Amino acid sequence: MSTPDPTPIASSSSSIISESAPVDAPLLPTSPESALKESLNTASSLLHQDLPVAFPTETVYGLGASALSSVAVKRIFAAKGRPSDNPLIVHVSSRDMLFDLLPTNSTDGRPVIPKMYEALMDRFWPGPLSLIFPLDPKGKGKAVEVDSRLTEVRNPPRRAVAPEVTAGQPSLCVRMPSHPLALSLIRHSDLPLAAPSANLSSRPSPTTAAHVVEDLGHGRGLGAILDGGSCRVGVESTVVDWVAPADGAQGEGELRVLRAGGVSAEEIEACLREAGFGASAAAAAEEEKGSTETGAPQRIRVYARDFRSEDLEERPTTPGMKYKHYAPGNAKVVLVKPVAGASVDGPLPSLQDLVQLTALTHAPAAVAADDGDDSDSTSHHPRFRVGLMLTDTTLSALGATSLSAVSPPCELVRLPPAPPSPFANLADDEESNLPDLDEIDVLSYSLGSRERPLEAAQRLFAGLRFLDHYVPDNDTSGKVGVDLIFVEAVPEEGVGLAVMERARKAAGGQPGEMEFQL
């Protein structure tokens, strides 16, 4: 498998890379126990030298460095090629470590934490939930409203994060990971770790140590990579923001999900309901207007689903809101949706039609009709390649035939002939100008069960990466990856909402799904 062409480190950032960083970041073993202890000692030492270290979390692999050091944090941005106005999430191993990063009030020396956050931390920490905490933007004496009361903030944090972490925003995003290696590394180093995903900026997030090696393992300034196997969740953490009640209003404020992730909106709703919190004022007003479908009070709003904010998109308080994300380097991603039965809007193309149409429009030279030249032309016009990331139900209904196993769960398949449709002939004559399906390489990478969206979460990034880097055995064309990846839309419930958020960004913001007849 070919590795991606690495994004060059900008000249302005090259001086930030430490000369002591190895050219090839070593993989640190985490078993047996004796090896783990040595690896934690090594990784901790590197972190205290302000060198970034990649490590596994339950969501994706993170690229961690001391959140207290500007030099260390700048090296994260340089290694990833990440824009400096894209804030980072800080990872902690205890609430005491969190409290040290926040301003404290004048009455009891404790940080100001919304009560809703306390309920969420009790339920979901450690775990894939990040919370945005207000910082004191103007120094001592700033009044901060929390839970409908004014609390005067006087004391600065005991351990202030580097300004690069927040990208100039008066807030700090923090989570406590549940992966035992992540917690052990933070505790062992006694450092809060600023840690975005350990991949080149805009690429699919890494869910294995091998993915980190592909993107950042050579010449990117990493001190080491802790190998902890595959990540359990497969998509990043959910990011939640608390909004105080409007001036003069009563209530607990409201929560907004700024990034869907490993904790679903439904789980957050259930937690707040069990903790005794009422609906937000905004949600209650919407309910009175009859705008809620279920009639149940809505306690949270989800960004892009329930609201948008130009200010948040221009000056984000959390990663994933402003820049291109999750896109493969070689392949174009297209979202598709199977439709069973007749469509009210008229006939739909079959998936075979879509494959043939895209082959014709995206790479006509690769699928051109035989011009009489008997020579091997694959080195000049390599075969068009399509990746299918579909659920098992859809794959079964298509009736595709497995030709060979590539790497589980990926197979080279042959699609059955397309059923008769008005999309089969585009030319004025009687013969179709679409290429034969046998002239196209079709790879199937299963998203798992449609009823279990966690399987799609675990496979989405890995599948995008695999298909983007795929090279057939004995191929001499020099072509890397498939040309096009069709990704099936999954129900936007539970973690499925996070899957679709990532899939849409990988597809470049495609507004809807391309439907096909199943």
Side-chain angles (χ1 to χ4, degrees):
M1 181 182 298
S2 173
T3 56
D5 183 23
T7 301
I9 296 178
S11 57
S12 59
S13 300
S14 59
S15 61
I16 299 172
I17 301 298
S18 173
E19 294 181 358
S20 63
V23 175
D24 293 308
L27 278 172
L28 301 182
T30 55
S31 63
E33 186 69 22
S34 58
L36 173 60
K37 290 181 179 179
E38 183 175 349
S39 293
L40 287 174
N41 286 334
T42 299
S44 177
S45 175
L46 293 168
L47 290 170
H48 281 277
Q49 297 172 49
D50 288 340
L51 290 176
V53 172
F55 62 96
T57 77
E58 72 279 14
T59 57
V60 299
Y61 271 72
L63 181 60
S66 171
L68 310 177
S69 166
S70 287
V71 171
V73 174
K74 287 177 181 178
R75 286 173 176 166
I76 291 177
F77 285 97
K80 286 176 58 71
R82 181 185 180 95
S84 60
D85 62 345
N86 199 4
L88 304 176
I89 296 174
V90 174
H91 295 61
V92 299
S93 59
S94 67
R95 293 199 191 186
D96 285 341
M97 184 177 282
L98 163 69
F99 295 161
D100 284 347
L101 303 178
L102 301 177
T104 56
N105 62 52
S106 59
T107 55
D108 58 6
R110 301 284 290 177
V112 178
I113 296 179
K115 291 182 179 179
M116 284 186 177
Y117 276 9
E118 294 175 356
L120 295 180
M121 289 189 290
D122 288 343
R123 173 67 61 86
F124 299 114
W125 276 20
L129 178 70
S130 297
L131 302 174
I132 297 178
F133 294 89
L135 296 178
D136 186 357
K138 297 182 180 179
K140 291 185 177 181
K142 172 67 177 177
V144 177
E145 188 173 17
V146 176
D147 295 330
S148 302
R149 68 182 188 276
L150 286 176
T151 302
E152 191 175 357
V153 175
R154 292 186 178 275
N155 304 317
R158 297 182 183 90
R159 305 174 83 183
V161 299
E164 293 81 6
V165 170
T166 62
Q169 296 296 318
S171 58
L172 178 65
C173 192
V174 184
R175 88 176 184 98
M176 187 189 300
S178 64
H179 196 292
L181 281 177
L183 289 173
S184 295
L185 179 62
I186 299 168
R187 290 169 181 155
H188 199 81
S189 64
D190 192 30
L191 290 172
L193 298 182
S197 55
N199 57 286
L200 289 172
S201 187
S202 83
R203 298 289 178 84
S205 298
T207 55
T208 68
H211 295 161
V212 182
V213 173
E214 287 174 358
D215 275 17
L216 304 178
H218 181 77
R220 307 299 298 191
L222 271 66
I225 301 168
L226 272 173
D227 188 354
S230 298
C231 298
R232 175 180 59 83
V233 177
V235 293
E236 296 86 350
S237 63
T238 302
V239 177
V240 170
D241 185 25
W242 176 81
V243 180
D247 292 342
Q250 298 297 314
E252 305 100 351
E254 70 167 340
L255 293 184
R256 305 182 299 181
V257 174
L258 300 187
R259 184 180 75 181
V263 175
S264 70
E266 294 89 343
E267 290 174 312
I268 295 173
E269 286 276 3
C271 173
L272 295 179
R273 184 168 56 251
E274 293 171 10
F277 289 101
S280 68
E286 290 179 1
E287 186 185 3
E288 288 180 4
K289 297 176 183 178
S291 59
T292 56
E293 296 181 2
T294 63
Q298 181 185 4
R299 293 165 180 81
I300 62 172
R301 293 188 296 155
V302 179
Y303 175 75
R305 187 192 73 180
D306 303 322
F307 77 99
R308 299 199 73 95
S309 168
E310 292 184 2
D311 183 58
L312 279 174
E313 292 166 5
E314 183 61 29
R315 301 173 64 248
T317 56
T318 180
M321 299 192 71
K322 183 175 181 180
Y323 294 97
K324 177 183 177 183
H325 284 76
Y326 317 122
N330 301 307
K332 176 179 174 59
V333 176
V334 176
L335 299 181
V336 294
K337 180 180 180 180
V339 175
S343 171
V344 296
D345 297 324
L348 293 173
S350 65
L351 184 65
Q352 293 92 320
D353 291 332
L354 294 183
V355 169
Q356 291 171 295
L357 285 166
T358 53
L360 181 68
T361 57
H362 284 75
V367 294
D370 185 1
D371 59 4
D373 185 358
D374 294 332
S375 63
D376 182 5
S377 62
T378 57
S379 61
H380 302 289
H381 299 304
R383 288 168 63 89
F384 190 75
R385 301 172 189 158
V386 173
L388 304 179
M389 296 189 67
L390 309 175
T391 62
D392 292 340
T393 300
T394 301
L395 285 171
S396 176
L398 283 174
T401 303
S402 175
L403 298 178
S404 63
V406 179
S407 178
C410 184
E411 295 181 316
L412 186 66
V413 301
R414 176 186 289 119
L415 294 176
S421 80
F423 302 91
N425 293 294
L426 300 183
D428 293 334
D429 55 23
E430 294 182 356
E431 293 186 6
S432 171
N433 64 347
L434 297 182
D436 291 335
L437 287 171
D438 287 341
E439 297 173 352
I440 303 169
D441 289 338
V442 180
L443 290 101
S444 166
Y445 195 103
S446 169
L447 282 179
S449 171
R450 187 173 178 83
E451 287 70 38
R452 293 189 293 274
L454 180 59
E455 293 182 4
Q458 294 166 337
R459 298 182 183 187
L460 177 65
F461 289 146
L464 291 176
R465 282 181 166 272
F466 183 88
L467 294 171
D468 194 45
H469 303 155
Y470 169 75
V471 176
D473 293 338
N474 303 319
D475 181 86
T476 60
S477 68
K479 176 179 176 178
V480 176
V482 300
D483 297 276
L484 202 72
I485 302 174
F486 288 117
V487 178
E488 180 180 347
V490 299
E492 296 188 43
E493 301 170 353
V495 75
L497 181 65
V499 172
M500 288 306 299
E501 181 185 83
R502 273 69 173 177
R504 287 195 178 95
K505 290 184 177 180
Q510 179 183 332
E513 296 82 37
M514 186 179 294
E515 295 183 337
F516 66 90
Q517 193 72 53
L518 188 61

